[in-house]
Structures are given as structure tokens and as C-alpha cells.
């Protein structure tokens, strides 16, 4: 595989999953970690990603801009956000995670909507504050320097005391056989607590993440109530999820 082709595939992995590990990329592309490290540095030098110790982060995941060129799969994420908003009703208590799709939900909320949001994500909370008819409660704790969300025992304790009507959870990877997975243990623990707290859980995922897996399981599909993608609900790529009882919108 040529370096240019490999770097394009690395960048796609980063944009789809928000965060990638150097060791995983080395295994996936069957090259040394030193080679991947150089690839990541070159991509970072071109402002294509954010290089961190042991891996890389997507620039769109950390972007506060909503210009189409700054957000990966912007149009698809807007379609998903509109589907999510259609599920909201005045008076709801809504738990919402981080990620660019959830920030898009926060950005395009109808101004007349009166909902109370709970979030551990700094960027989601900041965007929610733009809506005067919605209340925003930030669930605090130790902040993850990469995910920019609260993690640890304090936020888990807060979640155990809540019973939100609905939870909007971004997906890093989702697969019919392996369920919802992620690569960050501390984030996984928080997401498991979110699942337990919510009356209904809605997972948001662009179609490119369907059929993908990461190393740590958050939950099986039977713990998810709804899956929202930009695809039509009857699309063939969603068949495996429908067959396992997930409502697809």
C-alpha cells in the first residue's frame, strides 16, 4: 500500500471514530508503529487531525465551527439531528452525550422548545446555552482531556440519581453482533451509567460507522431502543439492527 493511500485510510478511520490508537492502526495496516507515528505527524502538520500521545483525534470532533467543510459528514449528521429533535416534547428531561452530531442537535433546536438537558460534554453544554427556553444542567467531575467530557465516580453517582426520559448517545462503533463499542475505558463506564439511567436510549450513528467495532463493549443491541442514521429506515444496511429488535428511524 502506498503511503498516500494509507494516510487517506488513516484519516478516514480518525474521522469516523473520532479517536484512533497508534497500536490499532499498526495492526490494521500491518505496518510498524513507527510508520504510523510518522503518518500521524505528517497528517497533523497538514492540520488534518490532532496528534495525541498514543494516537490521534478528529479535528471535527473538537471543532466549535458549524461550517460544512469543518465537520466530517456534516450533511448526514444534520439529517440525524433532525430525526432526534422530532422525538422531543416540551417538559422532557433529556440526557445527551458529546460528539458533533449531538452538537448539531443543540445547534438546530427549535427556539420554542422547552426541554431540560443533562450533559457531561463541555461543547454540547455551551451550544445548548444558546437556547433560552431550554435549561442546561452540566454533570461535572474529572474532565477527560481528549473526549472533553466529565468522567469518573462523581459523574456516575450523579447519573444514578437521575431518570431522564430519553438519552441521545453518540456512537463510535456499532455492529449487529457486537453491539455498541468504544476505545476509551473511562468514557465507556460513563456511557454504561447513561444507559442504566435513561428510560429510552437513542443511539446516533452515521452509516459509515455501521458494522464497525472497537475493543471495549458498552452494551449489546438489546440495551438500545432506537438507532438513528441518515439512511431510510428500510435500508438494507440496517436489516441486522431491525432483526435484533432495535427501532430504526
Amino acid at each position: 500500500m502506498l503511503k498516500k493511500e494509507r494516510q487517506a485510510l488513516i484519516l478516514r478511520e480518525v474521522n469516523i471514530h473520532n479517536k484512533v490508537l497508534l497500536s490499532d492502526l499498526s495492526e490494521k495496516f500491518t505496518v510498524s508503529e513507527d510508520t504510523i507515528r510518522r503518518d500521524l505527524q505528517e497528517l497533523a502538520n497538514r492540520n488534518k487531525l490532532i496528534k495525541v500521545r498514543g494516537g490521534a483525534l478528529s479535528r471535527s470532533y473538537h471543532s466549535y465551527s458549524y461550517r460544512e467543510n469543518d465537520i466530517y459528514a456534516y450533511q448526514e449528521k444534520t439529517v440525524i439531528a433532525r430525526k432526534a429533535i422530532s422525538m422531543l416534547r416540551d417538559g422532557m428531561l433529556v440526557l445527551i452525550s458529546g460528539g458533533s452530531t449531538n452538537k448539531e442537535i443543540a445547534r438546530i433546536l427549535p427556539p420554542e422548545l422547552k426541554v431540560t438537558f443533562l450533559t457531561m460534554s463541555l461543547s454540547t453544554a455551551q451550544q445548548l446555552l444558546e437556547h433560552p427556553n431550554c435549561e442546561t444542567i452540566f454533570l461535572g467531575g474529572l474532565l477527560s482531556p481528549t473526549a472533553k467530557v466529565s468522567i469518573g465516580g462523581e459523574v456516575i453517582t450523579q447519573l444514578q440519581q437521575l431518570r431522564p426520559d430519553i438519552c441521545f448517545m453518540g456512537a463510535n462503533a456499532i455492529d449487529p453482533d457486537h453491539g455498541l463499542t468504544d476505545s476509551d475505558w473511562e468514557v465507556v463506564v460513563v456511557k454504561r451509567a447513561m444507559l442504566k439511567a435513561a428510560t429510552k436510549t437513542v443511539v446516533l450513528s452515521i452509516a459509515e460507522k455501521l458494522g464497525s467495532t472497537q475493543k471495549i463493549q458498552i452494551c449489546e443491541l438489546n440495551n438500545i431502543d432506537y438507532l438513528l442514521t441518515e439512511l431510510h429506515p428500510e435500508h438494507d444496511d440496517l436489516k441486522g439492527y431491525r432483526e435484533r429488535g432495535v427501532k430504526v428511524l
Side-chain angles (χ1 to χ4, degrees), residues 22-245:
L22 189 150
S23 57
D24 289 347
L25 293 174
S26 173
E27 181 179 341
K28 184 178 182 67
F29 296 111
T30 60
V31 295
S32 70
E33 291 193 7
D34 283 340
T35 297
I36 295 296
R37 189 177 289 108
R38 288 192 293 270
D39 285 337
L40 295 180
Q41 188 61 61
E42 288 182 23
L43 290 166
N45 292 342
R46 289 155 45 199
N47 290 320
K48 297 295 185 180
L49 51 75
I50 301 169
K51 188 174 182 291
V52 296
R53 184 176 181 181
L57 306 173
S58 167
R59 292 192 65 83
S60 66
Y61 186 70
H62 283 259
S63 173
Y64 289 89
S65 167
Y66 287 93
R67 293 178 300 177
E68 185 170 351
N69 291 338
D70 292 337
I71 304 294
Y72 184 74
Y74 176 87
Q75 293 181 346
E76 291 85 348
K77 290 174 181 178
T78 300
V79 171
I80 297 168
R82 294 192 185 283
K83 288 183 179 181
I85 289 170
S86 72
M87 303 179 74
L88 297 178
R89 301 291 182 270
D90 284 349
M92 276 187 167
L93 182 63
V94 180
L95 181 59
I96 185 168
S97 70
S100 50
T101 305
N102 277 326
K103 282 190 287 186
E104 182 67 5
I105 292 174
R107 187 181 75 86
I108 65 174
L109 282 172
E112 68 277 5
L113 186 67
K114 296 180 180 180
V115 166
T116 298
F117 285 97
L118 306 160
T119 187
M120 298 77 64
S121 165
L122 279 174
S123 57
T124 304
Q126 287 176 316
Q127 187 61 49
L128 286 167
L129 289 174
E130 299 295 321
H131 295 272
N133 285 323
C134 291
E135 289 189 339
T136 302
I137 299 172
F138 182 72
L139 303 179
L142 178 67
L143 280 170
S144 165
T146 54
K148 301 293 192 297
V149 298
S150 299
I151 55 175
E154 187 172 348
V155 71
I156 299 233
T157 298
Q158 292 175 69
L159 286 167
Q160 290 171 344
Q161 298 168 351
L162 299 166
R163 191 62 174 165
D165 298 295
I166 195 167
C167 169
F168 290 138
M169 184 177 294
N172 272 350
I174 186 167
D175 176 79
D177 296 322
H178 298 93
L180 194 63
T181 55
D182 207 314
S183 61
D184 189 323
W185 169 250
E186 292 176 320
V187 172
V188 165
V189 172
V190 172
K191 286 190 171 182
R192 287 176 180 171
M194 292 172 69
L195 283 165
K196 289 182 180 179
T199 304
K200 292 181 181 178
T201 299
V202 181
V203 171
L204 317 174
S205 174
I206 57 173
E208 286 184 89
K209 296 182 182 183
L210 299 176
S212 67
T213 60
Q214 296 196 341
K215 290 188 174 180
I216 310 172
Q217 186 182 62
I218 299 169
C219 67
E220 300 280 358
L221 280 188
N222 59 11
N223 295 117
I224 297 167
D225 297 292
Y226 294 88
L227 172 62
L228 272 57
T229 76
E230 76 274 17
L231 303 176
H232 188 280
E234 297 301 317
H235 195 284
D236 286 346
D237 288 352
L238 297 169
K239 182 179 178 181
Y241 304 90
R242 295 193 303 267
E243 288 177 342
R244 286 163 175 77

